[in-house]
Amino acid sequence: MAQSLDELSTRINTYIEILPNQIRWQSKYLLNDILANSQLNGRLDSLTTLLERAVVLIESSPELIDNQRSKVMRDLTGERRIVLEAIKQERKAVLEEIRKGRAIVLEHLSNEMTFQREAGFEDLNELNKQGINLNVTNVKDMADLIFWRALILMSILAIIIFIGIFLYKKL
């Protein structure tokens, strides 16, 4: 067993000495093989170009952000103006409709008040006519009553005078 452990230790030591060199050789071989491949070189070149463009974009991003922000603010200001103008137009339209509705209601109320006033005057005239007719009838009745009572009193007076004359002559 000690011999197996010694052999195992020797093998491990050998692997430890050989493996780093082997990994280095294999990586160099793979790197040379990759660099020799033209298709991969083209892709690496395009990747390099893309990375350079990304770096330029990242470096200029504050300016781009400021430009875009100012454009957005201008657009928002324009949109806000458009919205405010639309709101003003809607408000004007609503106020005009309210004015028209109010004018219609006022005209209707005026017509109704005129109609009611005319009906009231007609009723008042009718009541006046009835009152005058009633007064005339009452005055006629009173005049007739006074006339008949005066006639009765004059008749009674004439009878008393006639009786008085008759009695004066007899006496």
Side-chain angles (χ1 to χ4, degrees):
M1 181 141 172
Q3 189 179 18
S4 294
L5 284 175
D6 284 336
E7 279 182 26
L8 187 59
S9 175
T10 306
R11 280 187 190 173
I12 289 176
N13 287 336
T14 305
Y15 285 141
I16 287 175
E17 289 176 12
I18 294 175
L19 273 179
N21 290 332
Q22 185 178 358
I23 290 173
R24 188 177 328 114
W25 294 332
Q26 283 183 348
S27 63
K28 283 183 181 179
Y29 175 75
L30 287 174
L31 185 62
N32 285 335
D33 190 35
I34 287 173
L35 291 175
N37 189 350
S38 65
Q39 189 178 27
L40 188 60
N41 281 337
R43 288 187 182 164
L44 286 175
D45 289 340
S46 66
L47 183 62
T48 304
T49 306
L50 286 174
L51 286 174
E52 287 172 357
R53 288 174 68 191
V55 167
V56 169
L57 180 66
I58 289 171
E59 287 174 351
S60 67
S61 65
E63 293 172 8
L64 286 174
I65 290 172
D66 288 341
N67 290 340
Q68 290 300 318
R69 184 180 49 129
S70 63
K71 286 180 184 178
V72 166
M73 292 305 285
R74 275 182 275 155
D75 291 344
L76 284 175
T77 303
E79 289 293 323
R80 188 186 65 182
R81 286 182 186 146
I82 291 169
V83 167
L84 288 175
E85 187 62 33
I87 289 172
K88 285 179 185 177
Q89 294 298 326
E90 287 294 321
R91 187 185 68 176
K92 286 179 183 177
V94 167
L95 288 175
E96 186 62 30
E97 288 298 319
I98 289 172
R99 283 186 196 118
K100 287 178 183 177
R102 185 176 62 193
I104 290 170
V105 168
L106 287 175
E107 182 181 348
H108 178 71
L109 285 175
S110 176
N111 291 340
E112 188 65 29
M113 286 175 63
T114 301
F115 175 74
Q116 291 296 327
R117 187 175 58 236
E118 288 173 357
F121 283 138
E122 287 176 10
D123 290 345
L124 187 59
N125 284 339
E126 187 64 34
L127 286 174
N128 281 339
K129 285 179 187 177
Q130 288 176 0
I132 289 171
N133 289 337
L134 185 61
N135 284 338
V136 168
T137 305
N138 286 341
V139 168
K140 283 182 184 178
D141 289 344
M142 286 175 69
D144 285 344
L145 182 65
I146 291 172
F147 175 73
W148 286 113
R149 286 195 179 169
L151 189 63
I152 291 173
L153 280 175
M154 287 172 73
S155 299
I156 293 174
L157 187 61
I159 293 173
I160 292 176
I161 291 175
F162 183 69
I163 294 175
I165 292 177
F166 183 69
L167 285 175
Y168 182 70
K169 282 190 181 186
K170 270 194 169 185
L171 273 176

